[in-house]
Amino acid sequence: MTAAPPVTWLYAPGDRPHVVAKALTCGADVVIVDLEDAVAPDRKAYARDATADLLGDPPAVPVHVRVNALDSPWAGQDIATLAGMPGLSGLRVPKVTSAAGITHIAHRTTVVLYALLESALAVEQAYAVATAHPNLRGIALGEADLRADLGVRDDTGLDWSRSRVVVAARAAGLPPPAQSVHPDVRDLEGLAASCARGRALGFLGRAAIHPRQLPVIERAYLPTGDEIEQAETILKAAVAEPGAQALPDGRFVDAAVVAAARRTLSLAGRR
């Protein structure tokens, strides 16, 4: 069985090392240290240096760093300072609008990259970005900026962009994207409903901005007992009789159904 993919990604501001330290103990699969939106301009250098100190040794939890946008005054130093740190598991690049932005970084470092698509132009370029370089391991939406760019007020107005990114990731052979953050940390019911919608659209997991959101995301994205039982039944049938077949309850089983069952069971051990 393949290792379970990440389901929870917790942001923490890079200029608040005590918050980052706490985030590493909260149970998230990945902690994202943010040098961009969460950090004021006059705190950028401090945040970068504090993050470099953190990454001098590998933390117990994988740590990604969201650097500043490539057209900002800080991105170059962010990448130069952090790309070689032994504790860094990935760089998240915000406001990517073309494949060139990814290849620019990939030519400077071998670190794993993730692209955040935050504008209409970025969504239009999703597949080109997703296939820009082998070091790119994932794409995702930055929905706050995208919402503003599109002038979208209702949440369903983003569904086409969401589906576009899910399809682009799959077409490029990348893992399913994680959902963008839910900005209201007290609205756990709304978060659960939004996660259910994201799962239906093909997302896997979600970024969070507060530890209280993590259990809600896990419940939404980890398979239920019934889903696990169905997946086990499918795999047992596939082993007993390879090839397309119909189960006694009428469900049709073929290679695609078996692959989906394997994905379900890869997550099952975490429930």
Side-chain angles (χ1 to χ4, degrees), residues 190-255:
L191 171 61
S194 177
C195 287
R197 177 64 176 161
R199 188 180 183 192
L201 289 171
F203 288 90
L204 178 59
R206 187 164 201 163
I209 54 175
H210 194 282
R212 69 166 60 101
Q213 296 177 316
L214 300 177
V216 178
I217 295 169
E218 285 201 341
R219 283 195 297 271
Y221 274 102
L222 294 182
T224 65
D226 285 345
E227 290 169 336
I228 293 169
E229 183 177 350
Q230 291 173 14
E232 290 174 340
T233 298
I234 289 168
L235 290 186
K236 288 177 183 177
V239 170
E241 187 176 339
Q245 59 178 297
L247 298 179
D249 62 6
R251 285 178 295 161
F252 183 74
V253 175
D254 62 5

Side-chain angles (χ1 to χ4, degrees), residues 146-235:
L146 180 60
R147 192 186 302 272
D149 190 39
L150 295 176
V152 169
R153 296 188 178 185
D154 190 282
D155 194 58
T156 58
L158 293 177
D159 279 357
W160 183 87
S161 297
R162 292 165 174 161
S163 293
R164 178 70 177 269
V165 170
V166 169
V167 171
R170 179 58 183 163
L174 298 175
Q179 277 187 278
S180 185
V181 300
H182 187 71
D184 187 341
V185 299
R186 297 181 180 179
D187 179 24
L188 299 184
E189 289 185 5
L191 171 61
S194 177
C195 287
R197 177 64 176 161
R199 188 180 183 192
L201 289 171
F203 288 90
L204 178 59
R206 187 164 201 163
I209 54 175
H210 194 282
R212 69 166 60 101
Q213 296 177 316
L214 300 177
V216 178
I217 295 169
E218 285 201 341
R219 283 195 297 271
Y221 274 102
L222 294 182
T224 65
D226 285 345
E227 290 169 336
I228 293 169
E229 183 177 350
Q230 291 173 14
E232 290 174 340
T233 298
I234 289 168
L235 290 186

Side-chain angles (χ1 to χ4, degrees), residues 50-72:
T51 303
D53 288 342
L54 167 73
L55 298 177
D57 294 303
V61 178
V63 172
H64 292 187
V65 175
R66 180 167 73 172
V67 296
N68 287 283
L70 295 180
D71 61 356
S72 74

Side-chain angles (χ1 to χ4, degrees), residues 108-127:
R108 301 170 62 188
T109 176
T110 59
V111 72
V112 170
L113 304 175
Y114 295 81
L116 299 177
L117 311 179
E118 307 185 53
S119 66
L121 177 59
V123 173
E124 286 296 306
Q125 295 293 320
Y127 180 71

